[in-house]
Amino acid sequence: MSSIGLEHYLVLSSILFCIGIYGVLSKRNAVVILMCIEIMLNAVNIALVAFSKYLDLIHGQVFVVFVLVVAAAEATVGLAIIMAIYRSRRSVDPDEIDEMKG
Amino acid sequence: MALEVAFWILAVMSVVAALAVVLLKDIFRAALFLIFGFFTVAGIYATLNADFLAVVQVLVYVGAVGILLIFAIMVTRETQYGSLFNRQHMFAMFFAAILLAAMIYTMTQTDWAGLGAVAHPPAEALPSGEGTTKDIGKALFDKNGFILPVLIAGVMLLAAVLGGIVIMSDKDKK
């Protein structure tokens, strides 16, 4: 029998999620930060699909469909904002866009 | 047995692709590795019997999000600077490592079987040869299913498209 259990998928999902968090916190390019957010969303999707299989419920996969929709919308709006900021400031470094800092 | 080999190959490739996205200096190569990572995640869905999601992953992520990211890189022309680390990257690595340790500890120590998880899902858990598309469709569009969230998701996608157009439109151009 296959010895791949639920834990294997959950640990893989955790590793991908933490790589994504590391990228989001440490990069200086907003486009790369969006790419890391996509990695994190993919990690969550892996966990949802794994639970869907091992709990034998289809709802996990239904939630993945909604996460996909949200990810597509987020990428669209996020990249539009990045392009608008780049057009006015010639930079996509989040550290330089700090007018709202208190 | 074949499923095990496939899982380990796909898992290692997806982690390597994710690390490459974070660590590579060349943004364009990072985006290509991200698309490669999307493909490996689609393969992981396939090992979990989620055939519909594997196809949708390739369509939405590789087809739409990947192309969008590459266009964003092309338009913002940040490739000459590359993707650099900021001042707090040691702290970020420390935080991510602690979070990873906590998550792996939680994931491996929790008694999933007590929640009803089966250690070895039977191969006949899903109707053979039919796939999951029918079940997902039923769950989404059934009267007692997720029909309201489906409609809201449609409205949200429309709002995202309109928002993208409005934000990106050049207001100075007459």
Side-chain angles (χ1 to χ4, degrees), chain B residues 155-172:
Chain B
V155 175
M156 194 196 68
L157 273 180
L158 178 68
V161 170
L162 292 178
I165 294 171
V166 169
I167 292 170
M168 275 208 266
S169 66
D170 209 344
K171 293 179 196 70
D172 302 331

Side-chain angles (χ1 to χ4, degrees), chain A residues 2-3 9 12 18 22 25-29 35 38 42 45 54 59 61 68 71 83 86-87 92, chain B residues 4 7 22 27 38 45 47 56-57 61 76 78 83-86 89 93 100 118 120 136 146 168:
Chain A
S2 159
S3 67
Y9 288 102
L12 171 67
C18 289
Y22 172 54
L25 290 179
S26 67
K27 297 310 272 191
R28 281 182 54 186
N29 188 316
M35 284 157 59
E38 300 296 337
N42 265 295
N45 284 351
Y54 284 88
H59 293 84
Q61 301 195 16
L68 278 168
M83 283 185 196
Y86 179 77
R87 196 179 294 151
V92 291
Chain B
E4 269 176 66
F7 170 78
V22 177
I27 300 179
F38 289 158
Y45 291 166
T47 67
V56 169
Q57 167 90 4
Y61 270 111
T76 53
E78 279 285 295
S83 126
L84 302 168
F85 285 108
N86 61 15
H89 102 101
M93 187 183 282
L100 179 64
V118 282
H120 299 293
I136 292 178
F146 290 86
M168 275 208 266

Side-chain angles (χ1 to χ4, degrees), chain A residues 36-93:
Chain A
C36 292
I37 291 176
E38 300 296 337
I39 292 177
M40 290 166 69
L41 286 168
N42 265 295
V44 173
N45 284 351
I46 290 174
L48 281 171
V49 178
F51 275 119
S52 164
K53 181 183 179 190
Y54 284 88
L55 294 175
D56 199 15
L57 281 170
I58 200 68
H59 293 84
Q61 301 195 16
V62 173
F63 279 114
V64 171
V65 173
F66 289 121
V67 171
L68 278 168
V69 172
V70 173
E74 169 251 320
T76 315
V77 177
L79 290 173
I81 291 173
I82 289 172
M83 283 185 196
I85 289 174
Y86 179 77
R87 196 179 294 151
S88 63
R89 308 180 61 107
R90 298 278 133 197
S91 163
V92 291
D93 186 351

Side-chain angles (χ1 to χ4, degrees), chain B residues 21-80:
Chain B
V21 171
V22 177
L23 298 178
L24 278 183
K25 265 226 169 88
D26 188 335
I27 300 179
F28 192 72
R29 279 187 194 159
L32 291 182
F33 266 103
L34 184 75
I35 292 173
F36 174 69
F38 289 158
F39 267 117
T40 61
V41 172
I44 286 169
Y45 291 166
T47 67
L48 284 164
N49 295 351
D51 52 344
F52 176 73
L53 286 178
V55 174
V56 169
Q57 167 90 4
V58 174
L59 277 177
V60 172
Y61 270 111
V62 179
V65 176
I67 302 297
L68 206 60
L69 280 166
I70 286 178
F71 263 98
I73 291 166
M74 199 178 76
V75 172
T76 53
R77 266 188 243 146
E78 279 285 295
T79 37
Q80 69 266 38

Side-chain angles (χ1 to χ4, degrees), chain B residues 82-159:
Chain B
S83 126
L84 302 168
F85 285 108
N86 61 15
R87 286 186 302 280
Q88 55 187 351
H89 102 101
M90 288 313 291
F91 168 74
M93 187 183 282
F94 178 69
F95 176 75
I98 288 192
L99 186 70
L100 179 64
M103 282 176 81
I104 288 182
Y105 178 79
T106 316
M107 298 295 188
T108 51
Q109 295 302 309
T110 308
D111 178 27
W112 298 116
L115 293 176
V118 282
H120 299 293
E124 264 65 55
L126 300 163
S128 55
E130 283 195 0
T132 56
T133 314
K134 194 175 162 188
D135 295 328
I136 292 178
K138 268 187 191 160
L140 276 176
F141 297 109
D142 202 39
K143 211 182 283 173
N144 302 317
F146 290 86
I147 184 68
L148 182 63
V150 168
L151 297 176
I152 294 173
V155 175
M156 194 196 68
L157 273 180
L158 178 68

